[in-house]
């Protein structure tokens, strides 16, 4: 991982030098670079009129809409700009990976998930916004989306959505509306009705964090110039112990269920904590009895703490250009695509939740009760930034440890175990960080055990013989972390048998095969 980030930084420096005479590459972290051309201040004579051949990467669900929006921009802009655009279906996760691997070959405009933001800046893949464009973004979009697009005070991307987070669905025939703000009352309601309170705290750090963010804890990750992880984490603290006590109130209930599946309402749930993606499923089951709300508060030692959450965003990046005029034109298009009208069109076409605050306040968005609840919950949310891949495995164990604790000392032990695992990760020796392993739902494990692999020839790694069942799923990952893993989709075992898992590395790609024994 250290070598990977060092390489990315080196590439960013090379790109910056190569851009002399044209557009400067994005400033490095902490550098206040002002010479890059911007949409409001084109660098080459001030004229933007012309036809530009560009490539745009976006999710498959909005390819047709994006083509139409670019056509609308061509027809209506007053600068004489015409884009001859090739719009390609490249998902937000794949776009970031491909841009980091080869910036020059990447899309001129590309959509990406906000947790890839820092890596893209380090790779020199994002063109920084100018002063006026940045102010426009800050004024128009919600605070979380702006934060997700910002590094050291500078904006490097345009917010597209504000819709990846979680909140609470509930059955109104079981849960009185006046109880939705209190975790304790909700647990009592579920127990009285013999219905489940479903929240995935046994197996998901993403949901566990809500209790800790609610008490003011942080887990903030960053990397230094050599790619070493730097961490500010306060989960093991007096505030963290309060969070653990709040979580204990839920997981000790006989009606607690660790799941985020909206289909749980069809099998005995009265409450499910999940996201907008579950809306159609839940509405189909509950109909008029579907209730939606932000997460509740819990009480410890007479003080209430509103549960937090992670918030996630889709962003639009502009690739740095050697032609400063083309860069300024691209920024104009990016502003159009991510403006109030563009975001509303994506909401209407694909139900993407807008980050634009006028759109959020519109009757149409507010009528979508799931998005309205998410917008309310985002007031208590923490932006999901760049996080070490190992953290998700380390933090999810807190849930099991809290559930098994029998007293306050046990809760503190859960936090101590967490801190020890974090320390082990941060101090991992280079050999362990480079090692490959197999992980998945296999051999009686559930994505919680790494099976080691051995390098049998250059770039070829193999596991021991594993007894696999039809339907088992697996991946290969490096350094017991999710930062580098193959393949993109899980390998699914087709038939019971004894297999060796083989990984072949070729540059930046990896191929996984099952070799029957």
């Amino acid at each position: 991982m250290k070598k990977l980030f060092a390489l990315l930084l080196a590439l960013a420096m090379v790109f910056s030098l190569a851009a002399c005479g044209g557009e400067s590459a994005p400033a490095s972290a902490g550098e206040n670079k002002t010479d890059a051309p911007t949409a409001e201040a084109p660098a080459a004579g001030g004229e933007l009129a012309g036809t530009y051949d560009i490539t745009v990467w976006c999710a498959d669900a909005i390819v047709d809409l994006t083509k139409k929006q670019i056509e609308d921009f061509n027809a209506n802009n007053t600068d004489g700009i015409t884009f001859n655009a090739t719009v390609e279906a490249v998902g937000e996760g794949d776009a970031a990976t491909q841009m980091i691997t080869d910036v020059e070959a990447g899309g001129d405009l590309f959509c990406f998930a906000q947790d890839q933001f820092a890596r893209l800046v380090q790779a020199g893949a994002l063109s920084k916004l100018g002063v006026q464009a940045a102010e426009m973004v800050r004024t128009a979009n919600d605070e979380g989306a702006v934060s997700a697009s910002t590094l050291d005070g500078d904006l490097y991307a345009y917010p597209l959505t504000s819709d990846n987070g979680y909140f609470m669905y509930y059955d109104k025939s079981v849960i009185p509306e006046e109880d939705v703000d209190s975790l304790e009352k909700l647990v009592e309601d579920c127990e009285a009705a013999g219905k489940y309170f479903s929240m995935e705290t046994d197996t998901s750090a993403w949901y566990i964090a809500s209790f800790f963010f609610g008490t003011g804890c942080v887990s903030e990750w960053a990397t230094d110039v050599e790619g070493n992880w730097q961490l500010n984490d306060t989960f093991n603290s007096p505030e963290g112990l309060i969070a653990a006590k709040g979580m204990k109130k839920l997981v000790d209930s006989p009606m607690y269920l660790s799941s985020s599946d909206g289909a749980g309402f069809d099998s005995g749930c009265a409450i499910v904590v999940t996201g907008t993606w579950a809306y159609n499923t839940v509405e189909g089951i509950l109909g008029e009895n579907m209730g939606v709300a932000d997460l509740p508060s819990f009480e410890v030692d007479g003080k209430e703490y509103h549960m937090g959450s992670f918030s996630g965003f889709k962003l639009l990046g502009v690739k740095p250009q050697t032609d400063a005029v083309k860069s300024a034109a691209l920024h104009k298009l990016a502003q159009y695509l991510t403006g109030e009208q563009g975001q509303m069109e994506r909401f209407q076409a694909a139900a993407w939740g807008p980050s634009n605050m006028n759109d959020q306040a519109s009757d149409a968005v507010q009528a979508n009760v799931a998005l309205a609840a998410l917008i309310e919950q985002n007031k208590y949310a923490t932006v999901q930034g760049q996080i070490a891949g190992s953290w998700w495995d380390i933090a999810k164990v807190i849930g099991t440890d809290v559930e098994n604790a029998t007293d306050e000392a046990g809760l503190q032990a859960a936090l101590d175990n967490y801190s020890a695992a974090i320390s082990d990760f941060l101090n991992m020796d280079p050999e362990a960080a480079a090692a490959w392993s197999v992980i998945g739902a296999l051999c009686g494990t559930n994505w919680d055990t790494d099976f080691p692999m051995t390098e049998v020839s250059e770039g070829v790694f193999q596991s021991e013989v594993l007894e696999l069942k039809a339907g088992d799923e697996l991946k290969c990952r490096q350094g017991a972390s999710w930062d580098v893993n193959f393949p993109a989709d899980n390998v699914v075992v087709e038939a019971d048998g004894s297999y060796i898992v083989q990984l072949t590395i070729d540059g930046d790609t990896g191929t996984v095969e099952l070799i029957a024994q």
Side-chain angles (χ1 to χ4, degrees), residues 185-484:
K185 289 181 179 179
L186 292 173
V187 170
E188 290 176 5
D189 292 337
C190 288
E191 291 178 352
K195 296 279 189 175
Y196 291 108
F197 189 133
S198 185
M199 182 175 181
E200 193 176 352
T201 59
D202 277 1
T203 54
S204 176
W206 202 53
Y207 291 98
I208 286 171
S210 64
F211 289 92
F212 291 87
F213 293 157
T215 63
C217 295
V218 299
S219 189
E220 299 169 337
W221 295 80
T223 56
D224 61 22
V225 293
E226 295 180 349
N228 301 302
W229 285 109
Q230 306 293 308
L231 175 62
N232 174 29
D233 186 285
T234 60
F235 276 31
N236 189 4
S237 65
E239 292 75 21
L241 185 58
I242 293 171
K245 291 178 179 178
M247 191 189 308
K248 188 69 171 169
K249 290 188 173 188
L250 173 59
V251 300
D252 270 3
S253 171
M255 300 315 300
Y256 160 70
L257 180 67
S258 183
S259 174
S260 56
D261 188 353
F265 285 107
D266 218 9
S267 54
C269 289
I271 296 171
V272 178
V273 175
T274 186
T276 56
W277 53 88
Y279 177 85
N280 289 336
T281 298
V282 177
E283 185 185 41
I285 297 169
L286 295 182
E288 294 182 355
N289 283 324
M290 183 181 73
V292 187
D294 59 317
L295 297 180
S297 298
F298 60 89
E299 183 178 326
V300 175
D301 297 329
K303 183 175 180 180
E304 288 192 345
Y305 303 86
H306 192 288
M307 293 172 67
S309 57
F310 271 117
S311 60
F313 310 87
K314 293 183 180 74
L315 309 177
L316 180 69
V318 179
K319 183 178 76 175
Q321 306 287 319
T322 56
D323 181 344
V325 180
K326 181 179 180 181
S327 175
L330 283 166
H331 276 276
K332 287 275 191 177
L333 177 59
Q335 292 165 29
Y336 181 83
L337 294 175
T338 61
E340 182 176 338
Q341 177 180 331
Q343 290 197 28
M344 179 56 72
E345 288 174 348
R346 272 184 293 279
F347 165 73
Q348 293 169 338
W352 285 20
S355 60
N356 181 279
M357 290 184 290
N358 286 340
D359 286 343
Q360 290 180 356
S362 69
D363 291 342
V365 173
Q366 288 296 314
N368 184 311
V369 293
L371 281 176
L374 180 60
I375 291 168
E376 183 64 25
Q377 177 58 35
N378 278 346
K379 297 176 182 178
Y380 307 94
T382 295
V383 175
Q384 183 184 324
Q386 182 183 3
I387 299 174
S390 291
W391 183 81
W392 303 102
D393 288 340
I394 293 169
K396 73 180 182 181
V397 178
I398 294 175
T400 302
D401 287 348
V402 166
E403 194 169 355
N404 292 335
T406 58
D407 53 22
E408 185 171 318
L411 296 178
Q412 183 59 57
L415 303 181
D416 292 340
N417 291 341
Y418 167 79
S419 289
I422 290 288
S423 179
D424 289 345
F425 166 72
L426 293 175
N427 295 289
M428 183 183 295
D429 66 74
E431 183 176 345
W436 287 92
S437 61
V438 180
I439 188 170
L442 73 161
C443 301
T445 68
N446 186 27
W447 298 96
D448 55 12
T449 303
D450 285 273
F451 296 85
M453 305 183 80
T454 302
E455 189 168 17
V456 295
S457 61
E458 185 175 356
V460 179
F461 301 82
Q462 291 185 344
S463 70
E464 298 284 339
V465 176
L466 301 174
E467 298 299 324
L468 304 179
K469 304 293 185 182
D472 284 355
E473 298 186 27
L474 59 90
K475 279 179 174 282
C476 296
R477 66 177 184 171
Q478 189 174 39
S481 169
W482 292 111
D483 293 320
V484 183

Side-chain angles (χ1 to χ4, degrees), residues 4-17:
L4 173 62
F5 275 98
L7 175 61
L8 295 180
L9 289 171
L11 287 172
M13 293 175 66
V14 170
F15 186 90
S16 180
L17 292 172

